[in-house]
Amino acid sequence: MTKNQSIINGISKGLHIAIGYVPIGISFGLIAKSLGIPNGIIVLMSVLVYAGASQFMAVGLLAAGISGFEIVLTTFIVNFRHFLMSASLSSKLHEKLEEKALPFVAFGITDETFAYISMVKSDSIDTKWVLGLNVMAYLSWAMSTILGIFLSTSLPEIIQNSMGISLYAMFIGLLVPKVKGNRLLVKVTGISILIIVLFYYTPLTQLFASDGWRMIGIILCASTLGALIFPEAVDNLE
Amino acid sequence: MIIVGMAFVTYIPRLLPFYAGQLFRRTGFVKRFMKLIPYTALVALILPGVLKATDSIETSLLGLITAIILAYKKCHVVLVILGSIASVLVYQMIF
């Protein structure tokens, strides 16, 4: 694959994520605006922080008058899962990425870009591909936030409500085809669901101070169990 | 100031693993653990959040099941997203 093909390929994959970000970015702009957050702060948050869930949470806390220290700490906890995602990608792609591009690749790691990059065979990935994908996702997030601010005249509620499902649908669209027909991944998915149920709906839920830590706990436990129970099958994965 | 703090604590965990790489590039258990993270993380991102993705649990389940069926039939990701949104939208317009 030539350099140009790979950047175009990355951009076109990034478009899938970009489409998913539009409704969420618009909702973020709308909600932040309705909470009385200044336009500049709303846009800066999307441009500098670039992490959806933590931004929704932060504008909620800001509007409630919570202290800056608590907001930063909560942001850290909510976003620490990206440490695991970057670690996994670094392990998968260390031979594929150029050293000088790493700070930019890392900035663009979100739940969605991580999910997409993870599900593509590493043969067809290089620095340009990843950057093309990340840039599309990032621009979409920033632009749709701005769009949301100016759409505060409010979209019909029925449309907003149905769009909430879009990112989850994307995660399912990425996960299910991989799991289908792969006995190891069926079992790993089963273990993950079991741990999710244990950590959310039994007294074990008290182990975690917040949903952020809980999600990290789930990923750690499920991956550890899978790696311990099925060592050979995991070695043969992909 | 708060935003700069948020940006910093979000960026560092994204960046560090790319430089502390040797830690994650071993063979054996750590390698297997890293290989499974994409799948366990995806499941943890979907559940239980998807159940609260729309106003009611019925519409969320409908969107979830539609997405699973379309994805199982190996439809393109964009079609999975649009199909799932459409199912929720149609259900809301009828009921």
Side-chain angles (χ1 to χ4, degrees), chain A residues 122-144:
Chain A
S122 57
D123 305 343
S124 47
I125 292 181
D126 61 15
T127 306
K128 289 224 156 103
W129 187 92
V130 175
L131 289 179
L133 178 127
N134 281 359
V135 165
M136 286 310 292
Y138 179 70
L139 288 180
S140 163
W141 182 244
M143 300 301 226
S144 49

Side-chain angles (χ1 to χ4, degrees), chain A:
Chain A
M1 192 155 50
T2 71
K3 295 239 156 175
N4 275 338
Q5 269 178 325
S6 94
I7 195 164
I8 290 166
N9 212 325
I11 287 173
S12 71
K13 297 290 183 213
L15 268 176
H16 302 165
I17 301 173
I19 294 168
Y21 277 176
V22 170
I24 318 288
I26 289 177
S27 326
F28 174 69
L30 279 171
I31 289 170
K33 184 82 184 165
S34 73
L35 289 171
I37 313 285
N39 292 354
I41 301 284
I42 302 174
V43 176
L44 266 184
M45 224 181 252
S46 280
V47 169
L48 293 179
V49 182
Y50 183 41
S54 67
Q55 291 179 219
F56 279 98
M57 187 210 66
V59 293
L61 295 177
L62 268 178
I66 306 289
S67 80
F69 175 76
E70 267 181 82
I71 296 176
V72 173
L73 184 68
T74 316
T75 305
F76 176 74
I77 295 167
V78 171
N79 290 336
F80 193 74
R81 64 178 185 284
H82 292 136
F83 182 85
L84 295 172
M85 297 179 183
S86 283
S88 173
L89 285 181
S90 161
S91 153
K92 171 180 174 162
L93 297 176
H94 65 281
E95 285 161 353
K96 303 281 179 178
L97 298 175
E98 293 163 40
E99 182 96 26
K100 59 179 193 284
L102 290 181
F104 303 101
V105 171
F107 182 77
I109 301 302
T110 63
D111 297 338
E112 295 74 21
T113 56
F114 158 77
Y116 227 107
I117 298 167
S118 300
M119 294 300 146
V120 172
K121 283 216 172 81
S122 57
D123 305 343
S124 47
I125 292 181
D126 61 15
T127 306
K128 289 224 156 103
W129 187 92
V130 175
L131 289 179
L133 178 127
N134 281 359
V135 165
M136 286 310 292
Y138 179 70
L139 288 180
S140 163
W141 182 244
M143 300 301 226
S144 49
T145 300
I146 295 170
L147 196 60
I149 294 174
F150 293 106
L151 271 181
S152 16
T153 40
S154 102
L155 286 167
E157 199 177 322
I158 190 169
I159 294 189
Q160 275 191 56
N161 190 29
S162 7
M163 295 231 165
I165 200 87
S166 64
L167 284 184
Y168 295 101
M170 188 184 95
F171 291 140
I172 289 159
L174 291 172
L175 181 66
V176 170
K178 293 277 176 176
V179 172
K180 183 183 177 185
N182 184 320
R183 291 177 62 188
L184 168 70
L185 293 180
V186 170
K187 289 176 201 158
V188 168
T189 303
I191 290 174
S192 305
I193 293 174
L194 192 69
I195 293 175
I196 289 168
V197 171
L198 281 177
F199 284 4
Y200 270 96
Y201 305 110
T202 71
L204 285 177
T205 185
Q206 290 162 0
L207 284 173
F208 304 96
S210 68
D211 281 348
W213 289 120
R214 191 167 294 114
M215 186 185 281
I216 292 162
I218 290 165
I219 298 170
L220 287 175
C221 288
S223 306
T224 303
L225 279 177
L228 289 178
I229 303 175
F230 315 111
E232 280 162 26
V234 177
D235 280 338
N236 295 331
L237 187 62
E238 254 191 13

Side-chain angles (χ1 to χ4, degrees), chain B residues 22-91:
Chain B
Q22 281 79 353
L23 288 175
F24 309 115
R25 285 171 207 156
R26 303 181 181 182
T27 49
F29 173 76
V30 176
K31 178 88 186 168
R32 289 180 203 122
F33 174 81
M34 291 298 164
K35 267 172 116 176
L36 287 182
I37 284 181
Y39 306 100
T40 58
L42 268 177
V43 181
L45 286 168
I46 296 168
L47 292 170
V50 64
L51 302 177
K52 290 182 189 156
T54 64
D55 276 351
S56 73
I57 192 138
E58 290 88 1
T59 47
S60 298
L61 281 174
L62 176 69
L64 172 67
I65 292 165
T66 310
I68 291 176
I69 293 171
L70 292 175
Y72 194 81
K73 302 226 174 240
K74 306 234 172 200
C75 291
H76 196 273
V77 178
V78 174
L79 197 63
V80 176
I81 296 172
L82 295 179
S84 177
I85 293 177
S87 71
V88 174
L89 194 59
V90 168
Y91 183 92

